[in-house]
Tab-separated table of all heavy atoms in Angstrom:
chain	number	residue	atom	x	y	z
A	253	GLU	N	15.746	5.173	12.312
A	253	GLU	CA	14.573	5.691	11.563
A	253	GLU	C	13.858	4.461	10.955
A	253	GLU	O	12.642	4.479	10.972
A	253	GLU	CB	15.048	6.581	10.463
A	253	GLU	CG	15.655	7.902	10.919
A	253	GLU	CD	17.121	7.796	11.239
A	253	GLU	OE1	17.620	6.698	11.075
A	253	GLU	OE2	17.762	8.795	11.595
A	254	LEU	N	14.604	3.470	10.438
A	254	LEU	CA	13.934	2.336	9.814
A	254	LEU	C	13.224	1.534	10.910
A	254	LEU	O	12.105	1.075	10.704
A	254	LEU	CB	14.974	1.574	9.119
A	254	LEU	CG	14.534	0.280	8.441
A	254	LEU	CD1	13.383	0.634	7.324
A	254	LEU	CD2	15.599	-0.433	7.755
A	255	SER	N	13.849	1.359	12.085
A	255	SER	CA	13.203	0.517	13.101
A	255	SER	C	11.868	1.183	13.610
A	255	SER	O	10.925	0.427	13.747
A	255	SER	CB	14.186	0.537	14.348
A	255	SER	OG	15.429	-0.056	13.979
A	256	LYS	N	11.876	2.433	13.726
A	256	LYS	CA	10.658	3.096	14.205
A	256	LYS	C	9.596	3.186	13.080
A	256	LYS	O	8.351	3.113	13.405
A	256	LYS	CB	10.968	4.537	14.645
A	256	LYS	CG	11.846	4.593	15.894
A	256	LYS	CD	12.050	6.100	16.329
A	256	LYS	CE	12.906	6.098	17.560
A	256	LYS	NZ	13.243	7.476	17.999
A	257	SER	N	9.971	3.198	11.866
A	257	SER	CA	9.061	3.217	10.700
A	257	SER	C	8.513	1.777	10.463
A	257	SER	O	7.468	1.743	9.750
A	257	SER	CB	9.794	3.762	9.468
A	257	SER	OG	10.335	4.993	9.655
A	258	LEU	N	9.149	0.765	10.969
A	258	LEU	CA	8.759	-0.575	10.687
A	258	LEU	C	7.558	-1.035	11.481
A	258	LEU	O	6.901	-2.044	11.099
A	258	LEU	CB	9.971	-1.426	10.842
A	258	LEU	CG	9.924	-2.921	10.354
A	258	LEU	CD1	9.812	-2.946	8.841
A	258	LEU	CD2	11.168	-3.698	10.820
A	259	LEU	N	7.352	-0.468	12.668
A	259	LEU	CA	6.410	-0.999	13.636
A	259	LEU	C	5.012	-1.037	13.123
A	259	LEU	O	4.223	-1.784	13.592
A	259	LEU	CB	6.577	-0.242	14.949
A	259	LEU	CG	7.853	-0.483	15.654
A	259	LEU	CD1	7.974	0.445	16.806
A	259	LEU	CD2	7.891	-1.928	16.204
A	260	VAL	N	4.669	-0.170	12.253
A	260	VAL	CA	3.216	-0.110	11.706
A	260	VAL	C	3.096	-0.619	10.348
A	260	VAL	O	2.131	-0.249	9.620
A	260	VAL	CB	2.705	1.352	11.856
A	260	VAL	CG1	2.602	1.861	13.323
A	260	VAL	CG2	3.578	2.286	11.026
A	261	ARG	N	4.071	-1.505	9.861
A	261	ARG	CA	3.978	-1.951	8.497
A	261	ARG	C	2.863	-2.855	8.150
A	261	ARG	O	2.573	-3.073	6.947
A	261	ARG	CB	5.331	-2.767	8.301
A	261	ARG	CG	5.330	-3.989	9.067
A	261	ARG	CD	6.591	-4.869	8.858
A	261	ARG	NE	6.588	-6.020	9.749
A	261	ARG	CZ	5.868	-7.159	9.516
A	261	ARG	NH1	5.137	-7.248	8.452
A	261	ARG	NH2	5.884	-8.177	10.375
A	262	SER	N	2.144	-3.338	9.188
A	262	SER	CA	0.987	-4.402	8.870
A	262	SER	C	-0.317	-3.734	8.789
A	262	SER	O	-1.287	-4.433	8.885
A	262	SER	CB	1.084	-5.424	9.945
A	262	SER	OG	2.210	-6.152	9.845
A	263	VAL	N	-0.466	-2.402	8.550
A	263	VAL	CA	-1.665	-1.782	8.349
A	263	VAL	C	-1.646	-1.021	7.062
A	263	VAL	O	-0.539	-0.728	6.543
A	263	VAL	CB	-2.162	-0.814	9.550
A	263	VAL	CG1	-2.313	-1.591	10.734
A	263	VAL	CG2	-1.242	0.316	9.665
A	264	SER	N	-2.795	-0.701	6.490
A	264	SER	CA	-2.858	-0.011	5.155
A	264	SER	C	-2.175	1.303	5.133
A	264	SER	O	-2.081	1.967	6.193
A	264	SER	CB	-4.284	0.097	4.698
A	264	SER	OG	-4.380	0.548	3.396
A	265	THR	N	-1.594	1.698	4.058
A	265	THR	CA	-0.717	2.849	3.953
A	265	THR	C	-1.358	4.150	4.522
A	265	THR	O	-0.660	4.776	5.270
A	265	THR	CB	-0.322	3.174	2.427
A	265	THR	OG1	0.176	1.983	1.902
A	265	THR	CG2	0.614	4.282	2.354
Side-chain angles (χ1 to χ4, degrees):
E253 295 83 0
L254 181 58
S255 299
K256 293 180 178 179
S257 303
L258 192 64
L259 290 170
V260 294
R261 65 177 175 81
S262 291
V263 298
S264 186
T265 306

